[in-house]
Amino acid sequence: MTVNKENLQFQTEVNQLLHLMIHSLYSNKEIFLRELISNGSDACDKLRFEAIGNDSLYENDGDLRVEVEFDAQAGTITVRDNGIGMSRDEVVANIGTIAKSGTKEFLSKLTGDQQKDSHLIGQFGVGFYSSFIVADKVTLTTRRAGSTEGVRWESDAQSGYSLEQVEKATRGTEIVLHLKEDEKLLADGWRLRNIIRQYSDHIPLPVNMRKTEAGEIKDEWETVNKANALWTRSKSDVKDEEYQEFYKHVSHDWEDALAWSHNRVEGKYEYTSLLYLPSKAPFDLFDRDNTHGLKLYVQRVFIMEDKEFKLMPRYLRFVRGVLDSADLPLNVSREILQGNKIIENMKSGSVKKVLGLLENMAANEPEKYQSFWKEFGKVLKEGPGEDFGNREEIAKLLRFASTLDDNAEQKVSLTDYISRMKEGQDKIYYITADTHTAAKNSPHLEVFRKKGIEVLLLSDRVDEWLVQHLMEFDGKSLQSVAKGALDLSKLETEEDKKEQEKVEAEAKNMVEQIKKALDGKVEDVKVSHRLTSSPSCIVLGDHDMALYMQQLLKQAGHEMPSTKPTLEINPTHPLLKRMEAETDDDRFAEWASVLLDQAILAEGGQLEDPAGFVHRLNGLMLAMV
Ligand code: ADP
Ligand code: MG
């Protein structure tokens, strides 16, 4: 009996993705089986979780498994699971649309170059749609546990998909791949067994195929994969390739992991952790709902995904893997898990393991660490603000660009910085700006360059937040070169100091005059000891937010208290010399105004009256010709 057959269109993004999948992943076509088996395994995990406290969902079939069958004549492969299944709405939501936020943006990055795109798509995760690499038609029939109605979804990836209500005796999902003409050879027992062993050996769920004897397919099933939970084996028995394949299953990633840490922890509580660092950031790294993280098991039985329980803090949200507790009861409920001591203990132990893994990598494999930093550094920088207890540990792992190097690469650690500090220097100097170029060219760096003092150049959005929470490292305070009073007295010679006093005394009148001209616009006007080649700069209070950040927050609709900056001038600059000679008061005021406005611009701030600035500047230029 068939009712309700209807044809539906894929969401635009799905169409794009399908097209891409079919054309760029050709050289990796065997992964479709890993993806389908992985989905079947997830579906069994979900059933187990939902069945806690509701045994009837098992429908007397608690022997969870994935089955793979083929028909060489018809050219089909079937992958079947007795997991949770899907309702009609779930099929539409999960298979007809991509709900992940940022998908549009992700797809807009595609280039049409197959090599590059296949890397990009790895960051997205290939999943169910990879079926269409080898099939020109896919039929998915599913029934949700506890429901009486089944639903059939079918598509050729060209013209949308059809949905119809069907009878389905068994719970779970069955997927039939109608292989493309030139892929029909995949419908072969030997090949399929090999693919399963290669990619799905260590998922903790049996993957079964029918026995064959003398070329004849029997009615009996046998388990093809090892189906033992990889993390329960001892480290020395597990090959790197096995770790990598298991990684792809838990992470939904299709590139290799960068590194992992596998631990059996004994002590007050007993648990096993297998924690992976991906080599590439997923496209939705900054999506707050980004889900896949750690999976929680109790004595090898899946309990739940990280989504429900933050098993990793947000600044380590890229970590993937498994925690398996020997102490929690098998029938745990959400209520038990909330604030549970055992969970908290596993969490903090795992954070330490990840930080230790990173520290080791930074020390022993600096290039590898650099590649980690490129992908995830911005996220790790959230750490000092989020995890007070591990602040020192995290701070050791941070890397920055600095005035020592001309490029934007973030390579300098705070420890490196301290080891290079000048005699008498007691602070770690940094500057924050909107871009690396703006940081690098800031007038505030002039005196530091002259004295050969290194300054860290911070230009990630998160940096301003980082420095608010990381006030010191290894007993040295962090100091913005653009904020507060600059005290380099310990680094200055007697001659320097004398010279400064002289300049200050000579400029006294002019400073007063400028202060009068800018009355109400600035907090104060001072002679600068920071500038060598710029005429002026803005200095903010120690606790003020950088101008470019204030700008950003204003644009985002936040009320910002308007703090008046201090203007510092460089009396030795030719422009200031020219001003000194100015006899017309009005014109002097114009000069002063331009000095202030250009200093604000150099700081990434915005002028209240840009047109007025341009007008004044033009007036002054004309007066010169
Ligand atoms: P992912 O596994 O990364 O979420 P997929 O494209 O592989 O992405 O699957 C999309 C979604 O479709 C899954 O999250 C799941 O909700 C649903 N799904 C896929 N296969 C199955 C299955 N065999 N049983 C139940 N749900 C499934
Ligand atoms: Mg999947």
Side-chain angles (χ1 to χ4, degrees), residues 34-36 38-40 42 126-128 249 252 292:
R34 172 185 81 202
E35 295 299 324
L36 295 182
S38 188
N39 284 349
D42 288 347
V126 285
F128 172 79
H249 167 66
H252 299 227
H292 315 301

Side-chain angles (χ1 to χ4, degrees), residues 189 202-203 280 285 320 332 374 399 549 568 597 600 603:
H202 295 290
I203 61 163
K280 284 263 178 280
L285 181 64
R320 301 286 179 263
V332 282
K374 265 199 199 121
R399 296 291 182 270
M549 270 313 265
E568 287 193 0
D597 286 354
I600 292 176
E603 210 65 22

Side-chain angles (χ1 to χ4, degrees), residues 324-335:
D324 190 343
S325 165
D327 301 307
L328 285 165
L330 263 172
N331 60 349
V332 282
S333 64
R334 266 160 228 257
E335 292 70 42

Side-chain angles (χ1 to χ4, degrees), residues 233-507:
R233 294 168 55 196
S234 89
K235 261 196 248 194
S236 52
D237 289 348
V238 187
K239 291 199 213 92
D240 282 2
E241 303 89 83
E242 296 176 311
Y243 277 119
Q244 291 290 16
E245 280 315 325
F246 185 71
Y247 165 72
K248 286 169 190 163
H249 167 66
V250 283
S251 66
H252 299 227
D253 191 351
W254 85 319
E255 304 224 10
D256 279 352
L258 185 68
W260 56 85
S261 164
H262 184 186
N263 318 279
R264 185 153 303 155
V265 182
E266 276 155 11
K268 192 164 171 209
Y269 301 113
E270 221 175 281
Y271 64 92
T272 302
S273 64
L274 175 51
L275 307 162
Y276 287 99
L277 300 174
S279 45
K280 284 263 178 280
F283 82 105
D284 56 354
L285 181 64
F286 290 96
D287 176 5
R288 297 204 151 242
D289 302 323
N290 178 349
T291 52
H292 315 301
L294 299 187
K295 290 183 173 219
L296 177 65
Y297 287 75
V298 173
Q299 296 163 49
R300 302 178 200 196
V301 176
F302 172 80
I303 301 297
M304 65 173 80
E305 301 265 4
D306 217 356
K307 181 158 45 171
E308 334 246 345
F309 272 87
K310 297 287 168 246
L311 293 171
M312 275 284 138
R314 285 191 44 76
Y315 74 97
L316 296 178
R317 61 184 174 274
F318 46 83
V319 175
R320 301 286 179 263
V322 167
L323 293 181
D324 190 343
S325 165
D327 301 307
L328 285 165
L330 263 172
N331 60 349
V332 282
S333 64
R334 266 160 228 257
E335 292 70 42
I336 293 184
L337 290 173
Q338 201 78 55
N340 182 290
K341 272 207 199 87
I342 301 174
I343 298 263
E344 291 306 317
N345 178 280
M346 289 198 293
K347 265 190 193 178
S348 61
S350 304
V351 168
K352 293 255 186 271
K353 286 291 178 208
V354 174
L355 296 178
L357 178 64
L358 288 171
E359 202 175 320
N360 260 333
M361 192 194 291
N364 303 320
E365 296 169 288
E367 272 173 31
K368 198 165 165 185
Y369 187 74
Q370 234 12 73
S371 84
F372 161 81
W373 183 258
K374 265 199 199 121
E375 296 291 319
F376 300 107
K378 288 194 185 83
V379 180
L380 206 65
K381 282 177 175 176
E382 296 171 14
E386 195 188 343
D387 186 353
F388 196 79
N390 287 307
R391 212 169 33 161
E392 254 328 89
E393 294 300 306
I394 302 165
K396 275 186 214 156
L397 297 169
L398 302 176
R399 296 291 182 270
F400 303 98
S402 106
T403 46
L404 208 66
D405 248 319
D406 209 34
N407 61 37
E409 207 182 333
Q410 303 180 353
K411 281 203 297 217
V412 176
S413 73
L414 294 173
T415 313
D416 294 341
Y417 182 96
I418 289 176
S419 74
R420 288 195 288 257
M421 278 176 26
K422 289 266 181 248
E423 175 124 8
Q425 183 184 349
D426 56 359
K427 292 192 168 77
I428 299 171
Y429 291 106
Y430 68 86
I431 186 164
T432 57
D434 202 13
T435 62
H436 178 73
T437 311
K440 190 171 73 171
N441 296 331
S442 167
H444 290 285
L445 300 179
E446 289 170 7
V447 69
F448 291 88
R449 287 228 164 81
K450 188 174 145 206
K451 294 188 185 304
I453 302 171
E454 185 173 5
V455 178
L456 301 175
L457 305 172
L458 278 52
S459 57
D460 287 333
R461 285 285 148 86
V462 59
D463 285 332
E464 191 78 13
W465 150 269
L466 169 67
V467 293
Q468 277 174 30
H469 292 90
L470 189 70
M471 256 82 103
E472 57 160 53
F473 177 75
D474 204 10
K476 309 275 187 296
S477 60
L478 273 78
Q479 171 69 48
S480 165
V481 300
K483 290 180 192 173
L486 178 66
D487 179 14
L488 295 178
S489 55
K490 286 189 195 136
L491 294 155
E492 259 146 17
T493 61
E494 283 308 311
E495 262 164 70
D496 285 344
K497 284 179 199 165
K498 276 212 188 97
E499 174 66 23
Q500 280 174 12
E501 277 162 26
K502 190 171 144 243
V503 171
E504 226 162 285
E506 282 172 6

